[in-house]
Amino acid sequence: MDKAHIPDMATLVSEQYVPYWHESEEVIVIGAGFAGLAAATEAHNAGASVTVIEKMKAPGGNSIISDGGIAAAGTPMQQSAGIHDTPDLMYSDMLRAGLGLNHPALVRKVATRSTETFLWSRDYLGVPYMDRIDQFGGHSVPRCYTAENVSGSTIIRCQVAKLRELGVTMRMQTTLRRFVLDSAGAVCGVAVREGYDHKSPQSGTDRFIRATRGVVLATGGFGADVHFRTAQDPRLTQEIDSTNTPFATAEALIEALRIQAMPLHLSHIQLGPWASPDEKGFGDGPRFADYIVFQYGVVVSPTTSARFVNELADRKTVADAILEVGRPCIGIADSKAVEQSGWSIDRGIEKGVVKVFNHLSELASHYGLDDTALASTMERFNGHIEGKIDTEFDKPILTEARPLIHPPFFGMRLWPKVHHTMGGVQINARGQVIDLEGYPIGRLYAAGEATGGIHGACRLGSCAITECLVFGRIAGRNAATERP
Amino acid sequence: MDKAHIPDMATLVSEQYVPYWHESEEVIVIGAGFAGLAAATEAHNAGASVTVIEKMKAPGGNSIISDGGIAAAGTPMQQSAGIHDTPDLMYSDMLRAGLGLNHPALVRKVATRSTETFLWSRDYLGVPYMDRIDQFGGHSVPRCYTAENVSGSTIIRCQVAKLRELGVTMRMQTTLRRFVLDSAGAVCGVAVREGYDHKSPQSGTDRFIRATRGVVLATGGFGADVHFRTAQDPRLTQEIDSTNTPFATAEALIEALRIQAMPLHLSHIQLGPWASPDEKGFGDGPRFADYIVFQYGVVVSPTTSARFVNELADRKTVADAILEVGRPCIGIADSKAVEQSGWSIDRGIEKGVVKVFNHLSELASHYGLDDTALASTMERFNGHIEGKIDTEFDKPILTEARPLIHPPFFGMRLWPKVHHTMGGVQINARGQVIDLEGYPIGRLYAAGEATGGIHGACRLGSCAITECLVFGRIAGRNAATERP
């Protein structure tokens, strides 16, 4: 096709500018992470022809580098382990962390469908999960299941294999340029660029793909988009690292806003409190901090050598507390805590992110802490463990927790990194994108981090994968059952 | 003109759909509140022909029902009163309350130009101010000046008189329908409805007005728009009252978003902590609560009969604390505090919003407080006043504050109401509206509550009028000096 025939993308929104459709599908899914791949699977299984477009060279997006933890309330595994949990409890945990900004109907859907969706991922997709249930900050009970290899890539691999088995096309290096609207204002297709290469964004060829049933936006968050995120929160300059891939950017979200999607909660940007300033990106430190320090150990201020927060509070609370201290804080655990956790922290130690000390005084000296103040902090905390109640910061004391008196001791510096963007486009409980005036945009669905409203001001750890799969499936099925 | 010639407003954005311009001005200002009227004055004084459109029957918008308090740092009056204040201090107060979400360059502009703008309002517009300087919550020093009659209407009256003197047209009952963009994407005019009547919104006639230099959006906030605000914060249903006029709605903001203005901080919606559930709207209670209780008195929980917050903290802190108590709390002051404040609270008493008691025990009994617990609360607080330091909640003890021991005592129930929407469209320090990709939208300016970014997560009391006048003037002047 002659490129000159394609109108300027800056003005293209209406179908009247589309010279012709290069091809036609029933459902187009944009983005090949957890949400997009779940949407494609359901859309196919609902009988629609589906194509997935993905800007990168391989599927997985930012999902592939997540830690693969998924929350579900009321599972058979919880029952076997004697953990009493319900969707109601998960719902109220999410609302409390979200400071009430969450859209209740969406949270209800995520919580209610969490167990069925988790079992679908295990039994239908074949995702192998580790034989453990963890409790992350802000959750009232252990309800977090972790994919093998502690990696989202385990889930993505199973999702991709399933789509291949079903015969669904996934086109890599294909990026969204514009949504195209018909004369009634409904989405009737997309302009894409094929052969896209992030190293030379002008490369590739523009094409128009018609969608006769629906389009699902599942393009993730904008945590790595310094321009967009600093508009929303000027503190999050390029000086603040991110756990995301560098490709977690806002261009698809911007396209949705261009066609009048209602923006929600864009300034609520989550910082991961378990990140290390001594490595780039997500790294290996969070394993130690999130699964061991926050659960069994302590975080102390470099100024006072004392605790200052409930280490098992939600991410916003802990990250804000560390930022308020103003310098990297020190996470501390002992060998018994590592053993209790069942996790290996070898990679963190090899990288030098997690340090090993035979005595607490060595640890104090290494991190510039006050030896006596630290000893007193540890003594008080060990008292809380023995008393089974944290009278200082109200941290839940886990049943298997033991006083931190077993050398070697482990330490890690903590400084937050941009991790998740709670904001995005508004959807309703059917996964339809809502416009500025409160009406669904015809034939446009969305799921995952591209949407806002589910997590409110603060997402709880392990709720994102649940959300992506629950709403990916809802969006895919509903897009597939639109009348052509 | 035949209405049939006017294209469907649902699709009209581009100039190509405008059949013809009914008229042409150099600058069009949308909204006749503090910001819009300031913009019109400056645009006129910069030599442009200006028209102001306003949807209501009279100018003033929501500004007219404000309490007329304006903050300025480093004024001659402060110097005479021995108050050391600087724009730097005001800047850091605003950033602290805004939780760092504020756009620093905009805050800097407001603080730096606060004194010059306040003096402009007094000396050029002729606004009469009371001979007092108050300190509101979150401000480090007294820097708030109050227009006579404690009402924004005093300022609006002077602004309107000045515009009449200058010969600037103000068209009432004229509402924005659409911004119109030229082929380069710049705003080249507006579609309006004349003869608009909010009681029958379909009434009136559509007209197209060309703007050869620029358009200023100054349409205020959306605090009374239940649909728009519940999308952003689902807690703010119609069950929550608002201090705004019922016409503080989002339709003009939506038009700006439709042409790709960057939305900022829409979910940051301020609740006034000084509001009474015993009257509708802003009412007369806030005078007593904000100027007397918060400054000299105490707020106690109905559950514990004890204080629970620094009453002079910023609005978000105090409102959140009251909401967390979960029931209306009780504000208490004595006759000495009322006398110290210099304010009359007669209207609040006449309405029954503020109650009078000869003994604290009567007050306790009326509000269902525990007599002994309340007595102990008052005794502790009186100790803080005598010691000049609040060792419980760190409330600043004002120099003239005296122990609360002088009957009669005054009480008022407190329950927050929606007061201000911190969010809106992004602007830069020149007042230009910024689009989703970070570029100014050609010839479009904005000022006042329609913009986001200046107050971040929480606006300090009395900073809104400063902001409206500072950025109204900047926007008006810059719009007027665009090349036609």
Side-chain angles (χ1 to χ4, degrees), chain A residues 391-403:
Chain A
T391 52
E392 288 177 289
F393 297 99
D394 209 22
K395 166 175 171 161
I397 304 298
L398 303 186
T399 316
E400 68 275 22
R402 296 286 172 273

Side-chain angles (χ1 to χ4, degrees), chain B residues 301-325:
Chain B
S301 155
T303 314
T304 62
S305 303
R307 293 173 69 219
F308 54 91
V309 70
N310 162 12
E311 295 88 347
L312 262 182
D314 62 71
R315 289 171 169 176
K316 179 173 168 56
T317 301
V318 180
D320 283 352
I322 294 174
L323 288 174
E324 193 166 323
V325 167

Side-chain angles (χ1 to χ4, degrees), chain A residues 16-17 99-103 227-228 231-235 254 258 260 262-265 267-268 436-438, chain B residues 16-17 99-103 227-228 231-235 254 258 260 262-265 267-268 436-438:
Chain A
Q16 64 182 292
Y17 295 110
L99 302 179
L101 293 183
N102 325 55
H103 282 219
H227 159 65
F228 201 89
Q232 302 300 327
D233 185 340
R235 298 169 303 175
I254 287 173
R258 210 187 288 286
Q260 331 275 302
M262 174 72 102
L264 289 189
H265 304 165
S267 63
H268 296 279
L436 294 167
E437 291 171 335
Chain B
Q16 65 181 293
Y17 295 109
L99 302 179
L101 293 184
N102 326 55
H103 282 218
H227 159 64
F228 201 89
Q232 301 301 327
D233 185 341
R235 297 169 303 176
I254 287 174
R258 211 188 287 288
Q260 332 275 304
M262 175 72 103
L264 290 190
H265 304 166
S267 63
H268 296 279
L436 294 167
E437 291 171 335

Side-chain angles (χ1 to χ4, degrees), chain B residues 160-473:
Chain B
V160 168
K162 179 59 74 180
L163 285 171
R164 293 213 169 110
E165 178 190 320
L166 298 174
V168 172
T169 335
M170 287 173 279
R171 311 164 179 220
M172 299 300 113
Q173 292 186 265
T174 304
T175 190
L176 176 73
R177 299 292 311 282
R178 287 282 187 276
F179 292 102
V180 179
L181 303 184
D182 66 19
S183 57
V187 172
C188 60
V190 290
V192 303
R193 177 161 289 177
E194 291 191 335
Y196 170 80
D197 180 351
H198 66 273
K199 287 176 192 148
S200 55
Q202 298 310 313
S203 60
T205 315
D206 287 333
R207 284 172 74 86
F208 296 97
I209 312 177
R210 194 172 168 213
T212 58
R213 290 185 187 268
V215 173
V216 179
L217 175 74
T219 47
F222 57 88
D225 194 318
V226 175
H227 159 64
F228 201 89
R229 80 184 193 208
T230 52
Q232 301 301 327
D233 185 341
R235 297 169 303 176
L236 306 180
T237 63
Q238 58 198 3
E239 302 303 312
I240 307 277
D241 196 10
S242 167
T243 64
N244 289 188
T245 74
F247 319 111
T249 46
E251 72 278 358
L253 170 62
I254 287 174
E255 291 309 313
L257 299 179
R258 211 188 287 288
I259 61 165
Q260 332 275 304
M262 175 72 103
L264 290 190
H265 304 166
L266 298 180
S267 63
H268 296 279
I269 299 175
Q270 178 166 83
L271 299 167
W274 25 245
S276 159
D278 301 319
E279 62 185 340
K280 296 294 286 176
F282 190 80
D284 293 299
R287 172 92 53 93
F288 172 65
D290 204 19
Y291 286 83
I292 299 170
V293 172
F294 290 179
Q295 313 224 2
Y296 306 104
V298 297
V299 176
V300 304
S301 155
T303 314
T304 62
S305 303
R307 293 173 69 219
F308 54 91
V309 70
N310 162 12
E311 295 88 347
L312 262 182
D314 62 71
R315 289 171 169 176
K316 179 173 168 56
T317 301
V318 180
D320 283 352
I322 294 174
L323 288 174
E324 193 166 323
V325 167
R327 289 195 290 143
C329 297
I330 316 303
I332 303 171
D334 70 351
S335 59
K336 187 79 177 175
V338 176
E339 184 192 319
Q340 295 280 13
S341 79
W343 291 108
S344 161
I345 56 170
D346 292 350
R347 290 216 320 238
I349 293 171
E350 279 161 30
K351 269 175 101 170
V353 168
V354 179
K355 303 279 188 191
V356 189
F357 306 93
N358 288 320
H359 299 283
L360 266 181
S361 57
E362 282 173 27
L363 183 149
S365 158
H366 178 80
Y367 292 114
L369 302 176
D370 182 282
D371 197 7
T372 318
L374 179 64
S376 141
T377 294
M378 300 305 280
E379 194 177 326
R380 274 202 308 280
F381 183 71
N382 288 337
H384 302 331
I385 290 190
E386 282 169 353
K388 293 288 172 201
I389 180 166
D390 173 6
T391 53
E392 287 176 290
F393 296 99
D394 209 23
K395 166 174 171 160
I397 304 297
L398 304 185
T399 316
E400 68 275 21
R402 294 288 172 272
L404 301 167
I405 51 175
H406 307 88
F409 295 94
F410 302 91
M412 170 180 156
R413 301 204 309 151
L414 297 165
W415 191 245
K417 296 182 184 178
V418 173
H419 183 57
H420 186 93
T421 49
M422 269 73 71
V425 300
Q426 185 179 359
I427 57 170
N428 62 16
R430 301 191 66 242
Q432 295 175 289
V433 176
I434 303 302
D435 75 10
L436 294 167
E437 291 171 335
Y439 302 104
I441 296 176
R443 301 183 187 279
L444 181 61
Y445 294 80
E449 198 176 346
T451 69
I454 290 176
H455 306 291
C458 171
R459 176 174 75 80
L460 291 180
S462 74
C463 285
I465 301 184
T466 314
E467 172 213 350
C468 287
L469 297 184
V470 167
F471 269 102
R473 294 176 72 199

Side-chain angles (χ1 to χ4, degrees), chain A residues 19-36:
Chain A
Y20 56 86
W21 295 109
H22 293 77
E23 55 192 293
S24 178
E25 292 280 351
E26 291 183 317
V27 172
I28 299 170
V29 174
I30 309 164
F34 295 134

